[in-house]
Amino acid sequence: MADDNEELRGQVAELQTQVAFQEAALGELDRALSRQQREILLMQRQIELLVERQQALEAREEESNATATADEKPPHY
């Protein structure tokens, strides 16, 4: 009977150790996931800004090309 109690206590202690380890691991994973989510949101915003900038540059270039074409004299002049 005493051996059974000791064995059960050992098993409970082992389970408690495993649970503590898993809780620590879950905490680390949660922090890593939160950090990655912040980084993803930041990168998405940076991409949005780059797309806006690219569109503005393309519009400005089209405008410039249209103005330059309209001001050019034909080659036979």
Side-chain angles (χ1 to χ4, degrees):
M1 181 77 126
D3 288 338
D4 289 341
N5 282 342
E6 287 300 317
E7 184 177 339
L8 286 175
R9 286 181 187 184
Q11 290 174 347
V12 168
E14 178 65 27
L15 289 172
Q16 288 174 333
T17 302
Q18 289 176 0
V19 167
F21 175 76
Q22 289 176 351
E23 286 176 347
L26 282 174
E28 289 177 34
L29 289 171
D30 185 51
R31 287 186 293 278
L33 183 60
S34 294
R35 185 184 70 249
Q36 287 177 345
Q37 185 62 35
R38 285 190 306 272
E39 290 173 358
I40 287 170
L41 291 172
L42 176 63
M43 285 187 266
Q44 285 176 331
R45 183 62 185 140
Q46 289 172 335
I47 289 171
E48 289 171 2
L49 291 172
L50 287 172
V51 167
E52 289 174 10
R53 185 180 295 172
Q54 180 66 29
Q55 290 172 344
L57 287 172
E58 288 173 357
R60 200 174 307 142
E61 184 179 338
E62 286 176 11
E63 214 174 82
S64 176
N65 286 342
T67 303
T69 304
D71 292 342
E72 284 183 16
K73 293 182 180 179
H76 61 278
Y77 278 104

